[in-house]
Amino acid sequence: MTESTGEAAADIPVAFQDPQYHEAVVDLLGAIAYGEISAFERLAEDAKLAPTLEDKVAIATMATAEFGHVGRILERLTAIGADPFAAMAPFRAAIDLFHQHTAPADWFEGLIKAYVGDGMANDFYREIAAYLDVETRDLIIDALEDGGHSRFVVDRVRAAIDADHRLGGRLALWGRRLMGEALTQAQRVAAERDALSALLAGGVDRPGLDLAAIGRMFTRITERHAERMAELGLAS
Amino acid sequence: MTESTGEAAADIPVAFQDPQYHEAVVDLLGAIAYGEISAFERLAEDAKLAPTLEDKVAIATMATAEFGHVGRILERLTAIGADPFAAMAPFRAAIDLFHQHTAPADWFEGLIKAYVGDGMANDFYREIAAYLDVETRDLIIDALEDGGHSRFVVDRVRAAIDADHRLGGRLALWGRRLMGEALTQAQRVAAERDALSALLAGGVDRPGLDLAAIGRMFTRITERHAERMAELGLAS
């Protein structure tokens, strides 16, 4: 139990005294929160395509799990002195465009997008989280837990490909398209949000990444994408 | 803490030895579970109509709260020896038809439907819950908690009517239509599901309602509907 007096102040780590760090964390939490809201909307939309009520419940469970983290992130933004809705605003265009450009044509494209798209986003946020204060890092790692729903997607997709091999070719193309669109929008965000980019590059008293390290980070993210595609039985 | 041995059996009350009671509870839980799944889908759909991101988050929070109860109800159905998906099946047509006939034309119709429609359904389930074993009753009462989201709906609707008085007339008509459609589908379900109707009429060792008592129950539900409409600033 913590003392109730001065708890809010004690809750804000020293790192936040660096205004650029503060700005970067506000950006990052804003991007994650809006990403989860969008993921919720998209999964709820996919639930309509579910072939059975069991599938619908499984997808709706994934949707509510995504949304379940939003409240805590918005509270954290408020606690560190930011307006949560202003924090999300700069990321709406990129995230909305990503979803517009990757609207699933059927149930399986929706499942792959849920698994592969969220997986990529989560890997990226986890990489960044490694450079943050403990409280923010734990909040982000918590928010990115998938609650074991991935098993459901893998089982459904593998069974469908076993039953119809042509589906595998189409879904492999779809996975590459998701990767391409995600990188396009991520680059757009990186170009526009200086504080967020500077966070990766390091700052006063904080270690950062040199160009080679950033390259290695993207290699790791791409490798994990390939692993996920392989788990689904798809070429990446 | 309960003893871990024989907990599952101890969890099933004596009342369930009456097969008709068992059937009625399976029906009731199936209807509530599918109702919550549909409410989730409809609220997630309404979230798209939200004029601001704040409103979207508020509606998505209501949607996830509705869905949050589904897991426990499905678990309870399994625990009393029923297939949860088979239990929901008989209620899909009536609940889907209700939603088809009451698709909101705009954000405010969606808000009123969330508040007034769920309110009516909840009152009805609460009335029935009074005739059930304690475990089932508590589960249902818990599942129907609205988590204080109603305040948001009341505030939004009252502010909109203050700003545009013609809106009040249209939304009052909408509220009456919701009531009419709900009664139509409820009657349809009552006519088709004997065990559920028999539950209200009582059975071996269980008190039931005579016709006058059923009349008083509907009067109470109608009165609460009128109260909710009044709280929104609408004529019922």
Side-chain angles (χ1 to χ4, degrees), chain A residues 43-57:
Chain A
L43 286 169
E45 188 74 22
D46 289 350
K48 284 193 224 160
L49 300 169
T52 68
L53 189 51
E54 285 87 336
D55 289 329
K56 193 189 285 269
V57 168

Side-chain angles (χ1 to χ4, degrees), chain B residues 128-144:
Chain B
I128 298 185
Y131 296 87
L132 304 178
D133 61 282
V134 180
E135 285 90 342
T136 310
R137 181 166 67 226
D138 288 353
L139 178 69
I140 292 174
I141 300 295
D142 251 32
L144 303 178

Side-chain angles (χ1 to χ4, degrees), chain A residues 34 37 40-41 44-45 47-48 52-58 60-61 63-64 67-68 70 74 83 85 88-89 92, chain B residues 34 37 40-41 44-45 47-48 52-58 60-61 63-64 67-68 70 74 83 85 88-89 92:
Chain A
Y34 190 69
I37 293 170
F40 164 81
E41 286 194 286
E45 188 74 22
K48 284 193 224 160
T52 68
L53 189 51
E54 285 87 336
D55 289 329
K56 193 189 285 269
V57 168
T61 303
T64 54
F67 191 79
V70 171
L74 301 189
D83 172 346
F85 292 95
M88 289 190 274
R92 293 185 68 172
Chain B
Y34 190 69
I37 293 170
F40 164 80
E41 285 194 286
E45 188 73 24
K48 285 193 223 158
T52 69
L53 189 51
E54 285 88 336
D55 289 327
K56 192 188 288 269
V57 168
T61 303
T64 53
F67 191 79
V70 171
L74 302 189
D83 171 349
F85 292 97
M88 289 190 274
R92 292 184 69 171

Side-chain angles (χ1 to χ4, degrees), chain A residues 67-148:
Chain A
F67 191 79
H69 306 297
V70 171
R72 277 186 61 205
I73 299 179
L74 301 189
E75 278 164 23
R76 181 71 181 157
L77 279 163
T78 306
I80 62 173
D83 172 346
F85 292 95
M88 289 190 274
F91 305 99
R92 293 185 68 172
I95 292 173
D96 288 352
L97 266 180
F98 172 74
H99 288 301
Q100 267 175 41
H101 291 174
T102 58
D106 63 17
W107 168 245
F108 291 107
E109 288 192 5
L111 283 186
I112 302 226
K113 185 172 162 182
Y115 182 63
V116 162
D118 290 359
M120 266 188 302
N122 292 358
D123 283 344
F124 179 66
Y125 292 136
R126 269 203 199 90
E127 290 276 355
I128 299 185
Y131 297 87
L132 303 178
D133 61 282
V134 181
E135 285 91 340
T136 309
R137 182 166 65 225
D138 289 351
L139 178 69
I140 291 175
I141 300 295
D142 251 32
L144 302 179
E145 289 242 335
D146 94 331

